[in-house]
Amino acid sequence: MSSIKGNKLEEQDPRPLQPTPGLMEGNKLEEQDASPPQPTPGLMKGDKREEQGLGPEPAAPQQPTAEEEALIEFHRSYRELFEFFCNNTTIHGAIRLVCSQHNRMKTAFWAVLWLCTFGMMYWQFGLLFGEYFSYPVSLNINLNSDKLVFPAVTICTLNPYRYPEIKEELEELDRITQQTLFDLYKYDSSATLVAGSRGRRDLRGTLPHPLQRLRVPSPLHGARQARSAASSVRDNNPQVDWKDWKIGFQLCNQNKSDCFYQTYSSGVDAVREWYRFHYINILSRLPETLPSLEEDTLGNFIFACRFNQVSCNQANYSHFHHPVYGNCYTFNDKNSSNLWMSSMPGVNNGLSLMLRTEQNDFIPLLSTVTGARVMVHGQDEPAFMDDGGFNLRPGVETSISMRKEALDRLGGDYGDCTKNGSDVPVKNLYPSKYTQQVCIHSCFQENMIKECGCAYIFYPRPQNEEYCDYRKHSSWGYCYYKLQADFSSDHLGCFTKCRKPCSVTSYQLSAGYSRWPSVTSQEWVFEMLSRQNNYTINNKRNGVAKVNIFFKELNYKTNSESPSVTMVTLLSNLGSQWSLWFGSSVLSVVEMAELIFDLLVITFLLLLRRFRSRYWSPGRGDRGAQEVASTQASSPPSHFCPHPTSLYLSQLGPAPSPALTAPPPAYATLGPCPSPGGSAGASSTAYPLGGP
């Protein structure tokens, strides 16, 4: 439709139009086209459009143009996404997949090369992550020099003590041992043992678990049978060094259903172990309210004590008694008033002790060595004389030089260590800090109490527990030796449970020996000792010893662990591999993440569209038909223009199902009604709604 410049569109009366007789020549009725309204080219800027109908025409929604972009939009296909990524990414080689798409050979070559490069890079990534999660450590060695705290030194007499409360039982044990040695070896030990002067008596039956001589079958049994009868050993033959014989004692469980022999190939070892077993039972009968031991004074065992050229006193040492090693003295322990400090290395700036090593007639069958036993350890660590001590030889000056070493381990994922033992499933029975030896001994005592019902006398006893004695626990020996075998093979799990401490301080020792006193000086030395310390002994050289303990140097080594691969190192290695294979940066990784995100979104949208088309379309069609029916039944607006086809059908008669044939009204395109016939004359006549 057209309009003269400056004129307005005439309003259309909703009533039927009649021919206007008063029209002047040259005026025309405006033709109404049946097509959708087109923009009026004759309207200039500022002209107004004639209002149609009863109200203004609703504005049509604006459709986005090709140049407009939404806030969030995604690609319509995988191909479009891939082309966009290859054209715009900063990863090297990706654009070759697009620019060479017209050459299939080049495209295939670059695709294979790109995928292989990608695979190699991620293979290297796997190696780097595997190395990082293996938690390797590096050992850092630092050499420091400073004043050092002198360690604790424990020294024992090697003379087990005869308690007055059990003196008679020990003498009885000596007499039975004397009889046993005579029966097995035809040896009269009356001149050696304390109770030998009372004569031998057949008292072996008064003690359980007697020592016996046992015959062990030879593996070459056939060859043994071929021997002559003269070469066979009779039962009363005292010779036990033959390969077919062993010495031991029998141990049984509670109901005597299972027994075994604890045997030894050496008669000396068998007698000592058998004597030690009975000594433990006798020692466990000591009352808990035992008065203090008859402690040897410092002057009786130690003739002289000096540290840094200064004499020692009673405030510098503490005393305890060991069942096997006798009286023990610990110098510079945690209970000392002032800990010793070493500011200079050398033999003159350490601890110097002059010891009395003569063998008193205490328990000769329990202790078979002479001298003294010494151990160097930390102030807050117990002295395990069986594990870390060594013996001093009489008549010899022993010089022990020390060098301190500290080790700091990494815990957690980097190593199986504990800081203070709080996370170890073993209760610490010692009044000291956690060490692996403390934990192992506590673990054995725990299992001993659990399996045997009593505590082993060489380890601390928990409250409300009693030490093992075959008068109260008849089968504890059977249980103990079985448990000892399981402990050595780690069937108890003590070595697994007891982890290493993360911080350890140790002392590396090296010893030197020399004869002391010398031949030229021994006369005046022994004379001075006899005058000052009442030292009287026939063989004077076998009764004295000297020991010097000092720092070799004040430089001490600290070994500390540190992570070999940290997070910074891992990121650096990953970036190096990424740059090597693709020559890109962190932002390229973000681009890859964006590509993966877009792929997921497009996949989700495609699946959602397929799901809606399969399950939602039929339902929406039914609801759409109902909406059309309700719209047809309602009153249309006054300027509604029916479709020509519907006008023709209305002249013929009412439609059988208008709800399904009439489309919903298009309010945005309503305009002057087009002519059904398409002629100009007929277009001037307007039909009312519902019929001609």
Side-chain angles (χ1 to χ4, degrees), residues 144-149 341-344 553-556:
N144 306 310
S145 179
D146 199 357
K147 289 184 178 181
L148 298 178
V149 178
M341 299 291 297
S342 292
S343 56
M344 292 288 292
E553 56 185 12
L554 295 183
N555 297 331
Y556 64 96

Side-chain angles (χ1 to χ4, degrees), residues 96-111:
R96 304 290 297 181
L97 301 175
V98 178
C99 66
S100 60
Q101 60 182 351
H102 299 293
N103 190 331
R104 293 184 177 180
M105 182 178 295
K106 286 187 176 182
T107 303
F109 169 77
W110 280 101

Side-chain angles (χ1 to χ4, degrees), residues 632 644-658 661 689-692:
Q632 181 71 19
T645 307
S646 55
L647 291 177
Y648 175 74
L649 293 176
S650 64
Q651 294 177 1
L652 297 178
S657 59
T661 57
L689 294 174

Side-chain angles (χ1 to χ4, degrees), residues 1 15 32 95 108 152 165 236 252 282 314 343 360 400 411 431 473 509 523 589 596 610 614 632 655 692:
M1 51 188 166
R15 294 172 299 176
Q32 298 201 4
I95 195 172
E165 290 79 6
N236 58 355
C252 298
I282 295 174
Q314 292 185 356
S343 56
N360 298 325
I400 302 173
H473 315 88
L509 307 179
E523 184 177 352
V589 180
I596 296 174
R610 179 174 297 181
R614 177 175 298 180
Q632 181 71 19

